Amino acid sequence: MEEMLYSSAHEMIFGFAKKPVTVANGLTFGKGKVVPEVNFTLPPMDLAHENVPEIRERFKDIAHRIMERCVELQQEEVVIEFEHLFDMTERPDFGAQLTKDLKEVIEKYRQSHGTKAALRVTVADIRDRTRPPRMRSGKEIETMLRSFELCADAGADILSIESTGGKEISDNALMIGDVEGLLFALGVLGPRDMDFLWREIVSIARRYDVVPGGDTACGFANTAMQLAHQGLLPKVLAAVVRLMSAPRSLAAVEVGAVGPLKDCGYENPVIKAITGVPISMEGKTSACAHSSPLGNIAAAVCDLWSNESVQDVKLLSGNTPEVFTEMLIYDCRLMNTAIEEGRAEILRDLMVDSDRFLDPQALILDPKVMYEAARVIVNAGEDKFKQAVAVSRYAHGVVKEAEATNKIRLRGVEAKWLEKIGKILEHLPEEEEEFYASVKARYEGHFIPEEYGLN
Amino acid sequence: MEEMLYSSAHEMIFGFAKKPVTVANGLTFGKGKVVPEVNFTLPPMDLAHENVPEIRERFKDIAHRIMERCVELQQEEVVIEFEHLFDMTERPDFGAQLTKDLKEVIEKYRQSHGTKAALRVTVADIRDRTRPPRMRSGKEIETMLRSFELCADAGADILSIESTGGKEISDNALMIGDVEGLLFALGVLGPRDMDFLWREIVSIARRYDVVPGGDTACGFANTAMQLAHQGLLPKVLAAVVRLMSAPRSLAAVEVGAVGPLKDCGYENPVIKAITGVPISMEGKTSACAHSSPLGNIAAAVCDLWSNESVQDVKLLSGNTPEVFTEMLIYDCRLMNTAIEEGRAEILRDLMVDSDRFLDPQALILDPKVMYEAARVIVNAGEDKFKQAVAVSRYAHGVVKEAEATNKIRLRGVEAKWLEKIGKILEHLPEEEEEFYASVKARYEGHFIPEEYGLN
Amino acid sequence: MGTLEKLRDALIEGKVEEVKHYTQQALDENTPAKTILDQGLIAGMDVVGVRFKEGEYFLPEVLLCAKAMHAGLDLLKPLLVGESGQSAGTVVLGTVKGDLHDIGKRIVKAMLEGAGYEVIDIGVDVDAEKFVESVRKHKPLVLGMSALLTTTMRYMKTVIDALQNEGIRDKVKIIVGGAPVNEEFAKSVGADGYAPNASEAVDLVKRLTAA
Amino acid sequence: MGTLEKLRDALIEGKVEEVKHYTQQALDENTPAKTILDQGLIAGMDVVGVRFKEGEYFLPEVLLCAKAMHAGLDLLKPLLVGESGQSAGTVVLGTVKGDLHDIGKRIVKAMLEGAGYEVIDIGVDVDAEKFVESVRKHKPLVLGMSALLTTTMRYMKTVIDALQNEGIRDKVKIIVGGAPVNEEFAKSVGADGYAPNASEAVDLVKRLTAA
Ligand code: B12
Ligand code: B12
Ligand code: SF4
Ligand code: SF4
Ligand SMILES: [Zn+2]
Ligand SMILES: [Zn+2]
Ligand SMILES: [Zn+2]
């Protein structure tokens, strides 16, 4: 990547992407409207073979309820995400059958009400099952690719995954606050796996004429956010990890993913700034899935607005999927009205300002910061390690600066960590090779170099 | 009421009320900030005596979780609503015990974190148990007033109720679409009961130095909204009933209620326009309790923002009360940021415009309409029946006009109903006495005139 | 247009007097009562049902048509001896103890009546004893319970247990409904059926009483 | 400041080498091993625990201190024969079948180790057979199961049933955790305890093993 598709942060705004994406039924993302993306999952129950008929019924019912609520609220465009649970990828026919079931309901509503709905299918990364994981060899990757194919064939409009290359290192690194380990996971291993995996996914998507959406650093940056939420990690570290993950997630787009990127990739705005792809984001309305300090600010430059995931349970007014559909619709209505009335920038800035200084993780999500981070990445050249280091330093600097100017208040321990992170980032080798050499021994045995094209 | 406290619709805005209200701990409503009001209820379980210890534990736990989420998100002001279930009013000690339990948790957080929380206690109207109900005589009213007293004594900061005077007529009137019956319920019976009941509540509130909040026409107008949602009643009728209910709910303030009015009274803005009291409202974030066509517009002039009610069940990230607390906090943050940055009017107008023309019920909730309705009521003089007739005609006119100018589209059947409602409203007797005489026979036996000071 | 068509159309329009008139006229023309019922009244109510489902009619229209139908039916009843003169069956409905929500249940009642069932509404805040008693007394084909509160829905189980204890659980089909209730819950308390709204409640009762 | 205070402070700061140093020094000063353990290492870890609960320490600090403690402990162990030399007890932990979420369980492990338990982590995606086997083999005081998915949490019941069938359910206390799990669910599957997070998991294990 040599240049950026946006020439200023100000230009970035919800509902508009420089490179809109259209799915088969004509539904377009990033062309002047924010579209709700509804996610759901099963309530406590198990996925045994004998439950498949029940699960299919429930899936159809959920889709039906979501679509019905859209009709009632005159919402004409919607995305339903079907995020596989382990077994749905592991048993590709199962995942494909559910894809087909969901698509049928969607199709029914297109015919009866003209509702334009798209189905995003997110395959599970089952390679994470064994440690150290086999990323390129072995039956896991085969099964996953087969699952992508069957789902594409069964009616998926958009393919996604939350891939885990490097997680075998980052899990532990997060626990012990090992910044170098995180860099190794996100700057060295992750991008290599993304490059490998996404070439495969893009080629499948092309073959079936569906959209290769995108990936997310969920397993890294959102784990960090969760750990920080539980008081287990400093928020400043989670903030740095967020930007550190951007070069890795960008890799999918570099080999052909076109968006909409996955909702839980809070690093998405960086990628949008560079490549112009539409992005899905989640914030306050995903409180069902996880608490976050990013409720409003996350919406600032989104093209789709999601609830991350809610298990299907009964509330007073109906079940959770349709309840969250309704809330997303109203959020989107507000943004779309702002677009129509030429007030989008004001609303965006309000969303940003409302969260910005309350948490370092929110600070990082400011579109201005995200935009500058994009620039830092582009300026760092093609080398993913260099990108990751540069953008981590940038993240650190942003928090530091906000603290120094009293824009953000950090507790004493947080401030100490910020110092510490700064020092580590400062004293890193500049070249990947050198870095790899310096940490290889430390992580030996925890990952398989060949599985990343390393040695 | 001879004059109005607001001199234009434009002046009405979220976060500001002409007559702010302050509770004991100093928390103020309507003075430049929108405060979240969190409502919860029990999951499926029964209220038998032997379950009381378990219910107490759960209540404390819920309050604890709500307060904890506030602390995590740096939300310093919050209201918790404790809406009685039947038995909690029927057994006044039970309701008071729970009030005390909740207040203790709130108090704990004030001490440890400085969080300013207020407790609203909404007593159930148990007079509705028998039909025709005894409103002023008999043990139900005694028990209710005792419940108010004990709860005020046990730590309630704000007293509320959703009273039901006239519902014995309106239930059936709604089912058969009987506009005269609705007028009898809301223009004749309701205000009389409100006058009686609220004098009592206000006197208790004064005695215990707590805030007499307000009432809501939930049992009338929200029932109509629910029926319309289920396709059982035309939306245009629900829209008219909404405004028809305003004079009745206003009656509480006329005898001393000071707000914050109850969340589910979508007629509240009318009362705010006239009297300047702060109001609680609910919209998109109350989708847990009921679907509504009022998601954004309901927030336009609110002082508190509520989720109406959610039963305590587990979601992926925690339980529903804290999940909805988080969503309310972000909604409030956005509004409060708009206030701070001088953009409140823009945000208000966006919220209004985003819903306004999608449903006649939303159309009615436009602050401009609400404001004009207030004026119509004031101009109608003191007579509640005249107020109700005048404001119903006004509501009808607003929908009619919007339809005629193609601002709103109505299905054929809806349009027919609009005609029909217009004709009925046109041909009504102008005087209450005359009206009462004309309908008395029709509703004979369904209500007890003496219980309303009628004969 | 023949008398039966006119009758049907009058019914669809909810014109009570006209329905009486054409029912009488058809009788005067010697049309068999059963034919008048099937091709006039029931044919009309079928259309009403469709219109309701398609959103062309609201509840008030349905109730009015049902009233018109009953006006016609009253004229036919004396002549409809034997099976076809009977109501489609008796249904007892009540809202369970501790719960005062009434409207949902009343709407179910109205729709069932529209479909030809005789419905006995035993009110709100009804305890198990009263449910048992009314099953004993009215011997309904179906017993329907309504609950709108999460804290009263469990009482449905109490009622079913009581019927069981009295040995009359199997004499009646039990259906349940109300906002917090769903299929799963219905199964868990041992009910025979659940319906999310009044028109599906009618289908449900039809299904259960057909069996 | 005496050696034990220095030891304690070094531990609180997570200084592995210093902890070793002061432990040795205390031994050299003829302080009884049990006293060094109690007033140096355990006293230090208590402070660490408090700091963690008060938000002054994050997980990395806790893990570092735990590491330092183990370094000291290694020197004391040979001298701590009898009860006090033993670990507080063995705990087996695993994430249930179909579930790959690892971190939560690993944190529980780390905190338990910090509190002096010996913890055997049998990994993720663990089936009932393997749970049974590891209870047989390691004879833990406590078995902990983790699940992060609504679709795997029920498997906890499967495991408990399997232990029951093998007749060894009563030989071990069972605790469960993970985001979708709660107290109520724990009871419903017949576990002995639930904890919402790792530090409460430690309290829970202490409570259960005290009994
Ligand atoms: C209107 C209303 C009232 C009115 C009741 C009017 C009346 N005469 O019935 C009033 C104001 C009196 C009222 C009072 C209360 N209510 Co109320 N009420 C509602 C509201 C807004 C709408 C209910 C309604 O009429 N819907 C319209 C009808 C047509 O729909 P329906 O009842 O669901 O019925 C349909 C189907 O369910 C089905 N059906 C119904 N019954 C049956 C039976 C069978 C056999 C079958 C097959 C089908 C079936 O068919 C019907 C037609 O399609 C609901 C909100 C909601 N989401 O439902 C709250 C709601 C039910 N109420 C609630 C509460 C808390 C209360 C009060 C305790 C409030 C208080 N503090 O005073 C009291 C309770 C008093 C008591 N002990 O019952 C809560 C319940 C919370 C909980 N814990 O479960 C709700 C969910 C609102 C909320 N807070 O979210 N309420
Ligand atoms: C990080 C994460 C991942 C990482 C896992 C990293 C890892 N190595 O563990 C990755 C990206 C790999 C991942 C994968 C998946 N995930 Co995931 N994941 C999360 C996330 C964001 C955070 C989990 C986490 O690490 N939290 C931090 C730790 C410290 O907290 P914790 O796990 O809760 O543990 C604490 C307590 O629970 C307790 N505890 C935990 N275990 C135990 C055990 C005992 C005995 C005791 C006493 C206490 C205890 O103590 C711990 C420390 O305080 C959650 C969101 C959430 N709300 O939890 C989703 C979440 C759990 N994942 C979810 C899903 C759907 C998935 C995938 C299926 C996605 C996909 N399509 O690929 C796969 C599943 C793979 C599989 N079969 O397991 C859903 C689950 C939905 C459902 N149906 O239940 C969640 C809830 C997110 C969502 N969508 O809302 N996930
Ligand atoms: S947290 Fe959400 S987004 Fe991330 S892996 Fe899990 S399910 Fe997917
Ligand atoms: S609907 Fe909500 S507000 Fe209205 S009575 Fe019921 S609980 Fe109260
Ligand atoms: Zn994700
Ligand atoms: Zn997701
Ligand atoms: Zn309410």
Side-chain angles (χ1 to χ4, degrees), chain A residues 14 34 299 302 305 331-339 347 351:
Chain A
F14 54 77
V34 179
C302 73
W305 183 238
D331 288 347
C332 291
R333 263 195 206 177
L334 186 67
M335 291 189 264
N336 292 332
T337 303
I339 292 174
L347 181 57
M351 296 195 290

Side-chain angles (χ1 to χ4, degrees), chain D residues 87-98:
Chain D
S87 89
T90 303
V91 177
V92 166
L93 287 181
T95 300
V96 300
K97 192 174 148 196

Side-chain angles (χ1 to χ4, degrees), chain A residues 287 292 317 330 333 341 353 355, chain B residues 287 292 317 330 333 341 353:
Chain A
S292 88
S317 62
Y330 279 109
R333 263 195 206 177
E341 301 191 355
D353 291 348
D355 291 341
Chain B
S292 88
S317 62
Y330 279 109
R333 263 196 206 175
E341 302 192 354
D353 291 348

Side-chain angles (χ1 to χ4, degrees), chain C residues 33-98:
Chain C
K34 180 83 171 71
T35 310
I36 302 176
L37 177 68
D38 287 346
Q39 291 171 35
L41 300 180
I42 291 183
M45 278 314 282
D46 284 348
V47 175
V48 171
V50 170
R51 292 212 179 159
F52 176 70
K53 279 193 185 157
E54 289 176 349
E56 289 304 306
Y57 272 10
F58 295 113
L59 185 61
E61 287 88 345
V62 175
L63 294 184
L64 194 58
C65 296
K67 199 170 160 189
M69 186 194 69
H70 280 103
L73 204 58
D74 283 345
L75 296 175
L76 298 181
K77 261 199 188 144
L79 304 164
L80 282 168
V81 264
E83 21 44 284
S84 52
Q86 234 79 74
S87 89
T90 303
V91 178
V92 166
L93 287 181
T95 300
V96 300
K97 192 175 149 196

Side-chain angles (χ1 to χ4, degrees), chain A residues 39 81 83 162 262-263 282 308:
Chain A
N39 296 246
E81 182 184 4
E83 193 168 289
E162 321 201 315
K262 267 277 295 174
D263 50 359
E282 58 184 51
E308 154 89 84

